[in-house]
Amino acid sequence: MATKSAPASAPAAARPRVGVVKFASCDGCQLTLLDLEDELLSVVEHFEIVDFPEATSSRSAGPYDVLFVEGSVSEPAHLERIVELRRRTRHLVTIGACATAGGIQALRNWGDHDAFRAGVYAHPEWIHSLARSTPIAEHVTVDAELRGCPIDPGQLVELLTALITGRRPQLRDESVCMECKRRGVVCVMVSKGSPCLGQVTQTGCGAICPRFGRGCYGCFGPREQANAAGLTRHLQMAGDRPREEVGRLFAGFTAYSEPFRSMVTELGGARTGRGATTAEPATTTGGKA
Amino acid sequence: MVIRTAPLRGHRPALEGPGFLARADLQILIDLLREEGRRVIGPTVSDGAIVFDEVTSLDDLPRGIGDEQAPGRYRLRRRGDERLFGFVVGPTAWKKWTFPALVALTRASKDGHKLSFVPEPPDTSPVAFLGARACDLAALGVQDTVFTGTAFVDPDYAARRARVFIVAVQCTNAASTCFCTSMGTGPEVESGHDVLLTELDGGFLIEADTAAGRILLEKLPLRPASATEQYGAAATVAAVRARIGDPVPAAGLHDRLLAQLDNPRWAQVAERCITCGNCTLACPTCFCTTLTQTTDLTGVDAVMYRSWDSCFSPGFAKVAGGSFRSRPRDRYRQWLTHKFATWWDQFGSSGCVGCGRCITWCPVGIDVRDELNAIAPAVPLVPEVTLVEPVAATPNDFVTARVVASRQESVDTTTLTLTGTDPAFAKGSTGQFAMVALPGFPPLPISISRFLPDGIELTIRGAGPATKAMCAMLVGEELGLRGPLGNNWPLDRAVGRDLVIVTGGIGLAPLRPVLHAIVADRRRFGDVKLFYGARTPADLLFRDELERWGARDGIDVSLTVDRAGPGWTGRVGIVTHLFDQATWDGTNMTAFVCGPERMMQATATTLAGRGVPASRIHVTLERHMECGIGLCGHCQMGKYFVCRDGPVFSIGQLGDIFGREGI
C-alpha cells in the first residue's frame, strides 16, 4: 500500500504572483484592494504584487498566478492586449461592472458611435475607440468575477482567502432580496412602491441601496436565471409605468448583460435625449481608428 | 356560523376571570419585564412599516397606526384612535430572535496537525415578545417541532427559544392577505403564550396562561374586566374570523396538491415568479439554511456560519454537475408542495400558518391562495413510508479522526483509512455516511466504504476543491467527522434471498461494506451477483477485492468498462448491458443499486422487468447536504430529507418522484 506521510513542517511555498491591470474604467475597483486597510499586510505576506500601477511603480510582463482585470474592452488596442494578458495568466479575475458587464460606457452600444465622437470631441479623428464597450469575458476565458460598481471589499477578501486555502470562493448566486430580508430591511418596492432591481440582481453588495431606502439599480448585474421579463411585466402593469421608464431601470452600469440587455433593447431605455439611439445595440466590435 | 370566543384560561388568584389593564399601564408591564433583565421586543414604526425591534416605552409602539395589505403592497395609515396594536402582521417574523438570519456555529483552528472544532455558544440573554399574534405563536410551534421535536435537537435554536417570554395580542383587525382561519391557526390565540392581551378602546383585557404569566399579572394594577368588556373582546375576534372567511379550504389539500406535480400552472406561475426568495425569508416557519466558511488570511482559524437560505435560489440544490431543481417552476413547486403537503409527512403539521407575509411581501404580488386553489383539485393519493433509525451528532459538533493510511484507487480517487474515530462509528451500518470537514471547507457527506474495529475507511473522488484537499491528506493529519448518518442498506431483508448489486465508478464505495458483510456470512444469502462498470479498466476501484470476491468468496462478479485499454479482455459498454438479456426470475431477488440517477432508473426498469418488486429495489441518492440530519433543508426530495430519511430508498417508497426532472 502506497502511503504518504506529512512532513513535520511544510516548507514556505513561493507567494503567488499577482497583477492588477485596467482597461476602460475609473480605477475605483482597484482602489478597493488598497482600501483593505486591516488586511493589506496579510495580503502582501501571501501574495507577491508584481504589477499594480495604483500602488507601486514596479512593473512586470508576467507571468501572473492571479491577474485582476478592471475595465471593459473599449479601444482597438485592448483587443490584442487582453488576449496577450490571458496567455500569461493562470487565474484571470475580472473586477467590477466595466470588466464583467461592459460598464456604464456600454450604453453607447445602443447609440451612434460616430455621432457621439463628433458631438463631444473637437477632433473626433484622434479618438481611438470601438463602437461597442464589451466585457472581458466576451474576448477571453475568465476564471472568476467580482461584480459591482465598485466591487465589495468583503467579496474581495473572500476571493483572496479562497485562493490561499485552495477552495472555491463562496460568492452567492442569489438575489439582493435575500440580503435585505436577512438584515431586516423593509422592502422598498412593497412598502413604498419604489421600483427595485434587487430581485433580478446578483447579491454581494450587502443591499446598500435598499438599506438607504431606495431601489437597487443593478450594479452587480443580473443573477443566474434572472426573470427580468417577469419583473418588467409587473412594473408596467401593477406599477402603471411607461415602457421607457421601465427600460431605463435596466439601462445602468450592467445594461449590456443579458437579460438586462434585451429589456433595454425592447423597451428603449438607453435614450440619451439627443436622438442618437438605435433600437438594437451595435453588433460589430470593429472600431474606426 | 359558530362564534368562537377567546379562551378564558389562566385565572390569577386575586381575579375571577380576565383583568383590565388601562392603556397607560402597559408601560408597567414593559418595565416589569425589563426589570427581570429581559429585552422587550415589540412593534415599532421604521421605514414605512411596523417592524419588531427593542421597545422600552409606550412611545415606541405604533400608537394609532394601522396597515393596509394586498398582494405585493403594504402601506401604513392613521387610524384616528389611540390603539397600540391596531395593525395586523408586518414584515418581521419572531424567528429573527429564535432562529437568527446569521449565526456563528463552530470555530475551527489548527495547531500543526491537530484540529479543534469548538461550538459557538448561542445568545441566551432573556427576551420578551410583546404583540405576538395567533399565527405567530403557531409559527413558533412549527419551528419548535422542526428544530426540537424530532430525534435531533438543534442546540442553538433550543437555547434561544428557551429564553423567550411571550405577551400575545388577539387580532382585532384582519388584512386582505390573512388566511389563518383556513390553516387552523387563528385568529383566536389559544396556546403558546404566557400572557394574552385583547385591546379595547381604553385599555386591555389581560389573562395569563402560565405560572410565569400569573406572577407578572399579580404585579400589575388590574381590576376585574366587566362582562361588557369581555363580550366586546370576544365579539371583536369573532368578527375578524368572519371577515377572513375560509380562503383556502384545507381538507385533503396534502393529497390534492401532491397529485398535481404535472399541472401546467407550475410553469405559468414561474413566468411571474422572480425566484427572489422574499416569500421564504418573510415566512415565519421556513427553516432552510446554508453554511458558509470564513477563514482569516493566515488560514489558521476558520468559522462556520449558518444563514437563512431559500429553495428559490438556483444554488440551493446544486451538486457538482448542476442543480436538482434547475427550473424556476421546479423551485416554486418545491416550495408550495413542501409548505402545504410534504411538511405534514415530515413534521405532522402544515408548514403554513396563514399569516399572509409571503403574499404581501412578494414584490410581484403572487398570491399563494390563488395558486393553491388553481392547482389542487380533489384527487386522493396514499404514499408509502419506511424509515430506519440513524445514529448521529448535531451540526456544530465534530469529532476528529487521524489518517493512518492513504491508498490511491485510481487517478482521481483515494481511500483514507482513519483511526481514533468515535465508538459510534463502530456501530455504523452499511450505506451510512459521515459529514467530513476540513477547516475552511464546507463539510461534505462521504459514504463510509469500510467499517473497522477501531475506525473507518472513506473513499473519495477528488471532484472539487474540498474533496481534492481530502484526497491529498497525508498520514498523521486529522479531519473532522460527524456520523454515522443516514439509513442503511436493508441487508436483513435480503437474508435468504438472491441479491443483485449494480453499480458504477465511485458508486461501489457505499456498497463495499455490503459485500464485506455478505462475505463474512456468505451462507445466509442465495446467489449474489455484482455488476460493476467504470470508465476505463484503470478506473475500477478496489481491484484486488473484486478479484478475491469473484475467485474465492462465491460472488458472481461481472465487470464492464466504457473504454477498453491495453490488456482488457472483458466487456465494454454500460453496466445495464451486462444483464439486460438475462433470463433470471427476480421474484425472490433483492437489488441494491448505486450510480447516477439515470443509470439507477434504467437498472430499476430492467430489474422490474425481471419481476423484482419495487419494494425490494433499493437505491442510494446523492443530494446537496450540509447538516446531515434534516435541519438545513438542502437535500429535500419531495417529502423526504435524503440525509435523514435516506440516502437509501426503495423504488416503491420514492414512487413517481424517482427520476423526475427538477425534484
Side-chain angles (χ1 to χ4, degrees), chain B residues 123-178:
Chain B
D123 174 10
T124 54
S125 60
V127 295
F129 294 167
L130 173 61
R133 309 301 176 117
C135 56
D136 293 328
L137 296 172
L140 287 167
V142 169
Q143 285 212 329
D144 287 347
T145 303
V146 169
F147 288 119
T148 66
T150 64
F152 298 108
V153 171
D154 182 79
D156 190 88
Y157 179 89
R160 290 176 197 271
R161 180 71 171 91
R163 71 199 170 125
V164 178
F165 181 93
I166 297 177
V167 180
V169 173
Q170 292 283 20
C171 281
T172 50
N173 304 279
S176 77
T177 46
C178 290

Side-chain angles (χ1 to χ4, degrees), chain B residues 51-372:
Chain B
V51 302
F52 297 141
D53 206 340
E54 179 158 9
V55 294
T56 58
S57 100
L58 290 192
D59 295 337
D60 295 332
L61 300 180
R63 185 185 297 266
I65 308 283
D67 52 16
E68 288 172 357
Q69 302 193 38
R73 188 184 155 84
Y74 178 99
R75 294 289 186 279
L76 296 181
R77 64 178 176 89
R78 292 236 156 258
R79 289 175 53 94
D81 62 18
E82 294 291 300
R83 296 226 173 186
L84 299 173
F85 297 94
F87 55 94
V88 189
V89 289
T92 333
W94 298 102
K95 72 177 182 182
K96 184 173 170 184
W97 287 271
T98 49
F99 169 54
L102 178 72
V103 288
L105 279 192
T106 305
R107 271 171 212 281
S109 57
K110 195 171 184 181
D111 181 8
H113 291 157
K114 188 77 196 149
L115 289 187
S116 63
F117 291 91
V118 182
E120 275 287 290
D123 174 10
T124 54
S125 60
V127 295
F129 294 167
L130 173 61
R133 309 301 176 117
C135 56
D136 293 328
L137 296 172
L140 287 167
V142 169
Q143 285 212 329
D144 287 347
T145 303
V146 169
F147 288 119
T148 66
T150 64
F152 298 108
V153 171
D154 182 79
D156 190 88
Y157 179 89
R160 290 176 197 271
R161 180 71 171 91
R163 71 199 170 125
V164 178
F165 181 93
I166 297 177
V167 180
V169 173
Q170 292 283 20
C171 281
T172 50
N173 304 279
S176 77
T177 46
C178 290
F179 61 114
C180 58
T181 48
S182 294
M183 295 295 111
T185 58
E188 306 84 4
V189 171
E190 291 184 342
S191 62
H193 58 285
D194 294 286
V195 169
L196 174 61
L197 303 174
T198 309
E199 189 164 28
L200 303 169
D201 281 338
F204 302 93
L205 210 66
I206 185 166
E207 311 159 67
D209 198 48
T210 60
R214 281 186 283 276
I215 292 168
L216 184 74
L217 257 59
E218 281 168 22
K219 298 178 188 164
L220 289 170
L222 304 183
R223 63 163 171 79
S226 70
T228 313
E229 284 161 349
Q230 290 187 47
Y231 178 78
T236 309
V237 182
V240 170
R241 168 171 286 276
R243 177 161 171 218
I244 298 172
D246 186 11
V248 185
L253 183 58
H254 170 278
D255 294 355
R256 282 187 273 138
L257 196 54
L258 290 181
Q260 294 301 321
L261 296 179
D262 296 318
N263 194 302
R265 178 97 180 191
W266 299 117
Q268 292 160 15
V269 66
E271 284 180 18
R272 289 188 292 143
C273 175
I274 315 294
T275 67
C276 60
N278 274 301
C279 48
T280 54
L281 268 52
C283 176
T285 70
C286 271
F287 62 89
C288 289
T289 52
T290 215
L291 295 178
T292 45
Q293 329 293 322
T294 61
T295 24
D296 60 355
L297 280 162
T298 65
V300 174
D301 295 304
V303 185
M304 188 164 72
Y305 288 95
R306 179 172 81 179
S307 59
W308 291 350
D309 203 352
S310 171
C311 51
F312 278 99
S313 292
F316 186 75
K318 235 175 218 176
V319 295
S323 169
F324 281 96
R325 287 187 283 270
S326 60
R327 299 168 303 183
R329 73 176 77 161
D330 304 327
R331 305 203 283 274
Y332 193 87
R333 184 178 64 184
Q334 158 63 23
W335 180 61
L336 213 69
T337 54
H338 186 220
K339 202 103 283 205
F340 293 91
T342 52
W343 204 294
W344 283 99
D345 302 297
Q346 292 173 333
F347 302 112
S349 77
S350 171
C352 173
V353 295
C355 70
R357 285 183 178 89
C358 61
I359 304 170
T360 300
W361 298 97
C362 173
V364 296
I366 296 173
D367 189 333
V368 282
R369 298 169 300 184
D370 294 345
E371 298 310 312
L372 287 166

Side-chain angles (χ1 to χ4, degrees), chain A residues 2 4 6 46 166-168 170 172-175 177 181-182 190-191 199 223-225 227 231 233-234, chain B residues 74-75 271 273-276 278 290 293 295 297 307-308 318 326 331 360 363 406 440-441 465 474-475:
Chain A
K4 296 172 278 186
H46 284 90
R167 66 166 145 80
R168 201 168 278 139
Q170 299 163 108
R172 287 182 155 163
D173 59 358
E174 63 191 24
S175 68
C177 305
K181 284 286 178 286
R182 290 192 192 106
V190 171
S191 71
Q199 305 147 69
R223 68 185 183 97
E224 192 178 332
Q225 296 183 334
N227 185 1
L231 178 61
R233 276 194 298 274
H234 176 77
Chain B
Y74 178 99
R75 294 289 186 279
E271 284 180 18
C273 175
I274 315 294
T275 67
C276 60
N278 274 301
T290 215
Q293 329 293 322
T295 24
L297 280 162
S307 59
W308 291 350
K318 235 175 218 176
S326 60
R331 305 203 283 274
T360 300
S406 164
F441 290 93
L474 303 171
V475 167

